[in-house]
Amino acid sequence: MDSFEALIGKNINEVTLNESKFFFIAPLKYSTKLCGKRYPSDKFKLADLDYFNLISFSQLFKKESLLIVWYDETGLITDLEIYYLSNDFDILFKDYYIIKKAIDNGEAHKLREGDTRYLGASRLNEKVPQPNSDKLANKRELVLKKKYLQKIINEIRIKPY
């Protein structure tokens, strides 16, 4: 990975962000409202969701922090921050449990992102079998929701230019 200081001011497409064993590397695009407030443009994918071999919570969050590489609409990297997910493990675990319970009960086809607060089971278009049910369910991926990323932005208070 490029050195942290060297990333600021570069285009996100010009840098290589290698996986780290210590933290998730999260290149996150943000947009800016007219009032200057920033908000995330998308969710952050953590893992694919396999209904028949569900990743454990401890394995999903083996890395307890995010290195957030914030970039704007033009692709310019503007900020780097480290955020400790462990601060929110209680809520993330409750969300994980809701998703796991739906899968265990054969109701993965009924999951909605609105069922959880920070960790979401984001739907994909492909339908796949699910355990304990004859119904097909949309394939999904586990994501940190935009609402959670907004909470992170608000807590970090990224400085305006």
Side-chain angles (χ1 to χ4, degrees):
M1 176 176 16
D2 292 0
S3 72
F4 294 138
E5 297 81 24
L7 290 174
I8 303 289
K10 286 192 175 182
N11 188 289
I12 191 69
N13 298 317
E14 297 173 358
V15 297
T16 303
L17 300 172
N18 299 323
E19 189 173 322
S20 166
K21 63 180 180 178
F22 303 108
F23 42 76
F24 291 105
I25 297 179
L28 295 176
K29 180 179 176 185
Y30 67 88
S31 298
T32 308
K33 295 182 180 185
L34 290 175
C35 64
K37 184 174 180 172
R38 294 182 182 184
Y39 60 95
S41 296
D42 209 356
K43 310 167 214 173
F44 177 66
K45 177 183 171 181
L46 294 171
D48 290 321
L49 181 56
D50 180 349
Y51 295 128
F52 290 94
N53 189 20
L54 185 62
I55 188 171
S56 68
F57 182 82
S58 60
Q59 193 64 24
L60 180 63
F61 289 103
K62 184 167 65 174
K63 303 172 187 177
E64 294 185 16
S65 57
L66 285 173
L67 169 62
I68 306 171
V69 180
W70 295 107
Y71 66 97
D72 63 17
E73 297 92 348
T74 67
L76 185 70
I77 297 173
T78 60
D79 299 282
L80 300 170
E81 297 287 346
I82 291 183
Y83 185 82
Y84 295 95
L85 298 168
S86 53
N87 295 335
D88 301 312
F89 273 178
D90 55 337
I91 296 170
L92 290 165
F93 182 77
K94 286 177 189 175
D95 291 346
Y96 175 87
Y97 181 76
I98 289 167
I99 294 166
K100 182 181 180 336
K101 184 178 172 188
I103 293 168
D104 291 345
N105 291 337
E107 297 180 342
H109 61 284
K110 293 182 179 179
L111 275 172
R112 298 174 315 132
E113 278 192 68
D115 295 339
T116 56
R117 289 180 59 193
Y118 296 162
L119 178 67
S122 184
R123 278 179 23 170
L124 303 172
N125 288 332
E126 182 182 349
K127 297 266 188 174
V128 295
Q130 64 174 313
N132 305 318
S133 177
D134 294 334
K135 293 188 178 185
L136 293 177
N138 285 80
K139 193 172 182 177
R140 295 175 189 269
E141 49 191 25
L142 293 169
V143 299
L144 296 179
K145 295 167 61 167
K146 286 171 67 171
K147 173 184 177 180
Y148 184 51
L149 299 176
Q150 183 64 56
K151 173 190 175 292
I152 292 171
I153 288 176
N154 293 345
E155 285 183 15
I156 292 173
R157 290 181 210 165
I158 295 177
K159 304 157 235 27
Y161 301 114

